[in-house]
Amino acid sequence: QSALTQPPSASGSPGQSVTISCTGTSSDIGGYNSVSWYQQHPGKAPKVIIYAVTKRPSGVPERFSASKSGNTASLTVSGLQVEDEADYYCCSYGGTTTWVFGTGTKVTVL
Amino acid sequence: QVQLQEAGPGLVNPSETLSLTCTVSGGSMSGYYWSWIRQPAGKGLEWIGRIYSNGSSNHNPSLKRRVTMSVDTSKNQFSLKLESVTAADTAVYFCARNAFDIWGRGTMVTVSS
């Protein structure tokens, strides 16, 4: 069970958009609609911002959106704000009752 | 509002067993899965395993047979035991509910003599 692949870093200026990819296989991302995304600020626990591929929990701003195509999931943060600077992790059901996280992407707001 | 809190020794000797407990407050454990996830310093998240409220469990195959989990719904707690630890097991350990919708704050565990 290998970690899902994310770019190590992404950046954008306030107000811009940034998109983070998360690449897996047909055994995880491609095989199930169980992709979630987490935002983690330094020294804090991760917080779910997307679940079931595209759904936003109550309280998560609409500028966070996500999608999936084949074995790759994507998270887009539109209208970047300073507080969006954080690490972002994807996660997918990996079959055989296991879960796998992505390698993580550090988003910097320039 | 459901909250989770991890507890356990911050320092474990190599080759010994790491034991952690997660206490659930503000809600029932019944009908949910309860997971353990860890994060080495400066690195990504790793799913360790999960246990259902009825006691059935699954774990990350990469940890082989070192993982044991248990649940005590009467105490609103679930636990993790990781055997034969090495320095590679040094990490912040988080507990979480279901597909990780609620997380504890995490507890740092260092494996060192």
Side-chain angles (χ1 to χ4, degrees):
Chain A
Q1 188 185 43
S2 299
L4 307 173
T5 301
Q6 297 180 234
S9 62
S11 62
S13 300
Q16 290 186 332
S17 295
V18 64
T19 297
I20 302 166
S21 62
C22 171
T23 302
T25 69
S26 58
S27 297
D28 37 64
I29 291 178
Y32 309 93
N33 286 322
S34 295
V35 178
S36 49
W37 289 88
Y38 303 85
Q39 178 191 62
Q40 186 181 34
H41 287 108
K44 301 293 187 181
K47 170 191 170 186
V48 61
I49 55 174
I50 296 287
Y51 68 98
V53 183
T54 61
K55 301 183 189 302
R56 272 180 294 104
S58 173
V60 173
E62 292 183 6
R63 51 202 180 77
F64 290 95
S65 63
S67 62
K68 188 189 87 165
S69 178
N71 298 337
T72 299
S74 299
L75 172 73
T76 296
V77 186
S78 305
L80 264 176
Q81 298 188 6
V82 173
E83 59 264 34
D84 297 333
E85 185 161 295
D87 293 327
Y88 291 81
Y89 292 92
C90 58
C91 179
S92 173
Y93 180 64
T96 58
T97 62
T98 63
W99 294 84
V100 59
F101 284 93
T103 50
T105 298
K106 180 176 180 59
V107 170
T108 301
V109 180
L110 302 172
Chain B
Q1 179 182 355
V2 175
Q3 294 184 317
L4 283 65
Q5 179 66 60
E6 306 86 351
L11 183 63
V12 182
N13 290 318
S15 80
E16 296 191 346
T17 297
L18 178 161
S19 297
L20 296 174
T21 296
C22 182
T23 299
V24 181
S25 60
S28 171
M29 294 189 70
S30 297
Y32 291 98
Y33 284 98
W34 303 92
S35 284
W36 290 97
I37 300 107
R38 68 182 182 179
Q39 183 174 37
K43 297 188 177 181
L45 301 166
E46 179 184 30
W47 180 74
I48 298 171
R50 69 176 186 177
I51 187 164
Y52 192 60
S53 53
N54 67 0
S56 63
S57 64
N58 317 104
H59 65 271
N60 190 328
S62 68
L63 295 170
K64 299 183 180 178
R65 296 187 175 187
R66 297 198 294 135
V67 173
T68 303
M69 290 173 286
S70 60
V71 61
D72 187 340
T73 55
S74 67
K75 293 183 178 180
N76 261 27
Q77 293 179 333
F78 62 106
S79 299
L80 168 72
K81 291 187 186 297
L82 182 63
E83 301 175 356
S84 305
V85 297
T86 69
D89 295 309
T90 294
V92 175
Y93 284 75
F94 296 98
C95 56
R97 188 183 75 168
N98 254 9
F100 327 121
D101 59 345
I102 299 175
W103 295 64
R105 292 185 176 183
T107 187
M108 178 69 204
V109 178
T110 301
V111 178
S112 176
S113 56

